[in-house]
Amino acid sequence: MCIRDRSYSHPHAEKIIEDAKVIIRESETGQSLLTSCSHHKIPIQVIKGNGPSGFNPQSRIIYLQVSGKTTESNPKIILDLIKGLREAEQELIGFTAPDPAKDLMEYAAVMHSKALDAIVYVCRVLKELTNSSSFPVLLDEMKKIGHITVYEAYVKNASEEELFDAYAGL
């Protein structure tokens, strides 16, 4: 589902989303994430901008911020969408953030856990796409966004602690 009723909507939103979904559907995990979000009617909004992308739990929308000059999907958009799909699924299964006003340390711990979980799902989809033509450029993008060490740890079946160390840059 794509929303096009906002002034910040991207003129090529539908094509960008569909291009990304084609690649994500090649992965069993990606297909599952897409099905879950579709079943629960989680919309995807592509907006013009250069800021962060992700799921907004208050509005229940996955936002992808994309340059207004972009006309089709690219590796960053694909990885951002996978991450956003998992973030939406986290909310659907009850993996939500606590109130930061009550306990800031608990809030920080949960937010890092949620971030790592979403990155691990990106790694899972990426690994499932190993034999696809998209794999090399997606792997290059993981390097660019700084998560290649998490991917390398994931591929080696790292423990949760080792994954967190890779995520934290230790």
Side-chain angles (χ1 to χ4, degrees):
M1 177 186 294
C2 178
I3 298 173
R4 298 212 46 173
D5 61 352
R6 295 197 172 101
S7 60
Y8 292 106
S9 288
H10 196 285
H12 303 285
E14 290 182 26
K15 179 168 179 20
I16 290 168
I17 292 169
E18 285 310 310
D19 288 352
K21 283 181 175 181
V22 165
I23 293 168
I24 294 169
R25 281 188 194 107
E26 292 180 37
S27 155
E28 186 176 326
T29 299
Q31 179 65 44
S32 175
L33 290 169
L34 287 167
T35 299
S36 176
C37 287
S38 176
H39 175 75
H40 291 281
K41 297 178 174 43
I42 303 293
I44 301 166
Q45 172 70 46
V46 180
I47 57 177
K48 293 179 277 187
N50 295 316
S53 297
F55 177 71
N56 181 302
Q58 290 78 26
S59 64
R60 291 182 50 98
I61 296 173
I62 297 169
Y63 289 100
L64 298 173
Q65 289 201 57
V66 176
S67 166
K69 296 177 183 178
T70 302
T71 60
E72 57 190 31
S73 191
N74 61 47
K76 182 173 183 340
I77 294 168
I78 294 165
L79 298 179
D80 283 347
L81 181 54
I82 296 165
K83 183 176 169 285
L85 291 166
R86 178 56 184 168
E87 290 168 348
E89 191 174 68
Q90 289 171 347
E91 290 291 317
L92 294 171
I93 63 173
F95 186 15
T96 59
D99 183 352
K102 291 183 180 177
D103 186 343
L104 190 57
M105 292 306 289
E106 179 186 2
Y107 175 79
V110 170
M111 293 308 291
H112 282 295
S113 293
K114 287 172 60 85
L116 177 58
D117 174 78
I119 294 165
V120 166
Y121 266 74
V122 172
C123 293
R124 183 181 296 175
V125 171
L126 186 55
K127 185 177 179 189
E128 291 172 6
L129 293 173
T130 298
N131 294 323
S132 78
S133 61
S134 304
F135 178 75
V137 293
L138 292 172
L139 189 61
D140 287 344
E141 188 62 32
M142 284 294 276
K143 290 175 189 170
K144 286 180 190 173
I145 62 175
H147 294 309
I148 195 65
T149 56
V150 177
Y151 178 75
E152 290 167 348
Y154 176 81
V155 169
K156 292 178 183 174
N157 295 316
S159 67
E160 286 184 34
E161 185 176 330
E162 291 167 325
L163 285 169
F164 186 80
D165 287 348
Y167 165 76
L170 303 177

